[in-house]
């Protein structure tokens, strides 16, 4: 059961990652998501962060399948720490408030996962991971990247 849940979570996150969010919209008014104008460098940074998150979820899923809570927490800790790099911090200043709230929630939730007690059942850890990555679904469902004029 744990393995099926883990693979279902990984599959869902993969679908989120390959969503049209990454295809730069060209005045697509049929897309109701809020457009975020990013430079090419910022777009590359966002793609890199998304890949880091997906790789981390894959590692955490594998850790859960192997009932390895230490590895699970270590990956969560690494993921929560990447939010503090200078590129991410400078981008946050011109992001919509809702985007910043989702980002803060994701990083706070990842930090909580890194602090799970040794007695935490892996099923509980996986449930918390699923809730944590609902932030990704919210963000991808609310925002889309568009090229900035810069």
């Amino acid at each position: 059961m744990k393995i099926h849940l883990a693979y279902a979570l990984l599959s869902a996150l993969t679908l989120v990652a390959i969503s049209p969010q990454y295809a730069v919209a060209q005045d697509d008014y049929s897309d109701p998501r809020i457009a975020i104008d990013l430079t090419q460098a910022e777009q590359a940074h966002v793609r890199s962060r998304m890949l880091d998150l997906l790789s981390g979820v894959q590692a955490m899923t594998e850790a859960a399948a192997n009932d390895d809570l230490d590895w699970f927490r270590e990956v969560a800790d690494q993921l929560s720490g990447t939010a503090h790099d200078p590129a991410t911090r400078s981008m946050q200043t011109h992001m919509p408030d809702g985007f910043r709230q989702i980002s803060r929630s994701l990083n706070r939730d990842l930090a909580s996962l890194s602090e799970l007690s040794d007695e935490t059942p892996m099923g509980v850890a996986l449930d918390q991971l699923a809730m944590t990555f609902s932030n990704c679904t919210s963000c991808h469902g609310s925002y889309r990247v568009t090229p900035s004029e810069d």
Side-chain angles (χ1 to χ4, degrees):
M1 178 68 173
K2 282 193 264 184
I3 292 174
H4 294 291
L5 177 61
Y7 285 117
L9 176 63
L10 184 58
S11 297
L13 288 169
T14 301
L15 288 173
V16 168
I18 62 174
S19 74
Q21 171 94 8
Y22 294 109
V24 177
Q26 302 294 324
D27 295 326
D28 181 9
Y29 297 106
S30 65
D31 189 342
R33 295 176 296 167
I34 298 167
I36 299 176
D37 295 338
L38 298 178
T39 66
Q40 287 184 351
E42 290 170 333
Q43 289 176 44
H45 178 75
V46 168
R47 282 191 300 271
S48 175
R49 174 77 169 137
M50 296 301 104
L51 183 57
D52 289 346
L53 288 166
L54 281 172
S55 296
V57 169
Q58 185 275 326
M60 293 172 80
T61 304
E62 188 175 345
N66 290 305
D67 207 28
D68 189 337
L69 188 58
D70 289 333
W71 183 18
F72 186 94
R73 291 184 296 212
E74 180 182 331
V75 174
D77 185 55
Q78 290 170 1
L79 291 175
S80 68
T82 62
H84 305 293
D85 68 78
T88 298
R89 286 192 145 170
S90 77
M91 285 176 53
Q92 289 290 327
T93 61
H94 64 272
M95 293 296 194
D97 287 339
F99 182 95
R100 286 195 307 269
Q101 289 172 0
I102 292 170
S103 179
R104 280 192 296 270
S105 177
L106 173 64
N107 291 305
R108 188 174 40 249
D109 292 350
L110 285 166
S112 293
L113 286 171
S114 73
E115 298 168 357
L116 293 173
S117 74
D118 289 340
E119 293 78 31
T120 303
M122 193 54 77
V124 170
L126 278 172
D127 287 343
Q128 289 182 16
L129 178 63
M131 292 301 297
T132 297
F133 280 91
S134 68
N135 290 293
C136 299
T137 305
S138 295
C139 191
H140 284 262
S142 301
Y143 301 99
R144 63 184 169 97
V145 171
T146 57
S148 89
E149 299 290 323
D150 296 29

